[in-house]
Amino acid sequence: MPDLEASISIFPERDANPHHEEARRESRLWINQFNKTVYGPKMRTFMDNCNFELINTFCYPYANKYGLRATMDLHNILWLYDEFTDTESGKGAYKSATVVYRALHDPKFDDGSWLCLMMKDFKTNHIDLAGPDTARRFIDHFCSYVELVGKEAELREERKVLDIQGYIALRRETSAVRTCFDLVEYCLGINLPQDIHDDPVFIGGYNAAMDLIYWANDLYSYNMEQAKGHSGANVVTAAVDFLGGYFELLLYQWQTARDTLALRSSEKYANAVRVLDAYGDWVRGNIVWSFTTERYFGTQNSEIRKTRRVVLRRPFEQSVHLTE
């Protein structure tokens, strides 16, 4: 694997969030209401060992307990939804997306499903407390995410690998990083006006940070995904050598956007820089977590972090099924 860790020295190291244990305990109790409906006992054990909540401790080191809890709840939703839709056809994934859309937009909608209840509960607990622009963007981004997950399921069925530009367009939505970035503003207590999000310079920094996160994720998760038979929707299948150089280009794009916005003299641009810096925390935190969790490399994570050598599994080897 390319050495992505060597590239991220432009982002300062942060201490882990001190509210981790308390927020994790509360978030785990909350998500357990829903994942026991979906997961079998073996899958629940596997998911617990992945320690998904820990990524937020690295990626939101500045959040207070309530903000950190919101980020953990979101990540538990995303992992649950991701595993669930990995077992669905494109048609089934689109149906699940419709439930999410209606749950987030229609206060009266209730189909009795775990998915509807989970999304309505998250909205009430967290999104309704965010700034109005942040809340609107989150709902739009989450609905776009679940819609494009249906497209991703179709690509898996067709065993189709997209070209680079098509892949980037898809992964910017299916990675759900946009929703995680929305919670950056929530945790910082910032409600950026829409004109900042429409600013081409800010967009350049935003897209660079987002791409850095999902490209790293797709590299580190590749062995697990191809072992499940999902390599068709992961461009790393054909682009490992490309990724290292592209990572450096994205870092330059992020830095240029940050430096340009820092020269502008108004509070909203100062807040935009704070937000871009927090996206940088996300880029670093994502890589640190990837070698801390057993999600991608199992108990060999420390050794693989040093050698960057990964032996690909045979398809379906050591995989755990959703209902087991």
Side-chain angles (χ1 to χ4, degrees):
M1 297 188 298
D3 189 359
L4 304 187
E5 284 195 274
S7 302
I8 61 171
S9 59
I10 65 170
F11 303 120
E13 294 187 29
R14 309 284 193 196
D15 292 333
N17 192 299
H19 304 294
H20 170 77
E21 289 300 330
E22 187 177 1
R24 179 183 182 273
R25 183 168 57 251
E26 292 178 5
S27 185
R28 184 62 61 90
L29 286 172
W30 179 77
I31 199 64
N32 280 346
Q33 302 172 82
F34 312 108
N35 66 24
K36 289 179 180 178
T37 303
V38 181
Y39 296 152
K42 286 185 179 179
M43 177 57 83
R44 287 202 301 272
T45 299
F46 170 69
M47 297 296 276
D48 285 349
N49 289 340
C50 291
N51 203 353
F52 294 126
E53 298 93 349
L54 185 60
I55 191 172
N56 303 285
T57 297
F58 296 138
C59 294
Y60 303 90
Y62 48 83
N64 62 25
K65 195 204 85 168
Y66 302 103
L68 186 64
R69 162 70 193 279
T71 70
M72 289 182 175
D73 287 356
L74 174 62
H75 257 82
N76 278 321
I77 288 173
L78 293 173
W79 291 115
L80 176 56
Y81 192 82
D82 181 63
E83 290 291 341
F84 177 68
T85 54
D86 270 357
T87 67
E88 291 191 305
S89 64
K91 183 177 180 180
Y94 281 124
K95 183 178 179 181
S96 294
T98 300
V99 173
V100 170
Y101 182 92
R102 295 191 65 186
L104 291 176
H105 284 89
D106 182 359
K108 296 181 180 179
F109 174 70
D110 184 0
D111 68 350
S113 68
W114 64 268
L115 182 56
C116 175
L117 178 59
M118 179 177 69
M119 295 311 304
K120 290 174 81 71
D121 206 33
F122 182 79
K123 181 176 182 293
T124 300
N125 292 342
H126 304 299
I127 302 309
D128 288 348
L129 305 179
D133 293 298
T134 302
R136 174 182 50 78
R137 283 190 291 264
F138 177 88
I139 291 173
D140 288 347
H141 290 156
F142 201 96
C143 289
S144 178
Y145 155 70
V146 294
E147 180 182 355
L148 269 294
V149 165
K151 176 64 176 178
E152 192 174 43
E154 289 180 344
L155 291 172
R156 286 200 303 268
E157 291 173 339
E158 299 168 4
R159 301 190 66 81
K160 182 178 179 180
V161 178
L162 299 172
D163 61 23
I164 295 295
Q165 292 306 314
Y167 179 75
I168 288 172
L170 179 71
R171 286 297 281 136
R172 283 179 176 172
E173 308 309 322
T174 61
S175 67
V177 174
R178 293 188 193 276
T179 64
C180 300
F181 280 1
D182 293 328
L183 291 194
V184 164
E185 292 183 48
Y186 177 66
C187 290
L188 288 173
I190 292 174
N191 182 58
L192 285 180
Q194 189 58 39
D195 66 298
I196 291 291
H197 277 269
D198 293 336
D199 185 298
V201 176
F202 184 83
I203 291 172
Y206 181 108
N207 286 346
M210 178 167 52
D211 293 352
L212 285 163
I213 290 165
Y214 72 71
W215 275 103
N217 175 261
D218 289 353
L219 174 67
Y220 298 144
S221 69
Y222 176 71
N223 196 17
M224 180 187 70
E225 294 293 332
Q226 65 85 27
K228 294 195 295 185
H230 294 171
S231 60
N234 188 331
V235 81
V236 172
T237 300
V240 163
D241 293 336
F242 161 84
L243 199 154
Y246 190 52
F247 211 78
E248 293 285 349
L249 178 63
L250 291 170
L251 288 166
Y252 177 78
Q253 180 179 322
W254 175 87
Q255 185 73 64
T256 300
R258 186 206 180 279
D259 292 347
T260 301
L261 291 173
L263 295 174
R264 300 180 183 177
S265 56
S266 74
E267 184 180 1
K268 69 178 183 180
Y269 290 117
N271 283 337
V273 172
R274 288 179 64 199
V275 169
L276 284 183
D277 283 341
Y279 295 168
D281 291 333
W282 235 107
V283 174
R284 174 181 282 280
N286 177 57
I287 291 176
V288 171
W289 175 79
S290 295
F291 288 109
T292 304
T293 179
E294 295 182 11
R295 170 75 171 175
Y296 303 135
F297 306 118
T299 56
Q300 295 180 303
N301 50 13
S302 296
E303 179 65 20
I304 290 173
R305 190 176 194 175
K306 287 188 293 185
T307 66
R308 304 197 313 277
R309 291 183 175 272
V310 178
V311 178
L312 296 183
R313 302 183 207 161
R314 295 176 180 176
F316 307 106
E317 183 181 55
Q318 298 176 339
S319 60
V320 180
H321 298 289
L322 195 68
T323 56
E324 287 184 346

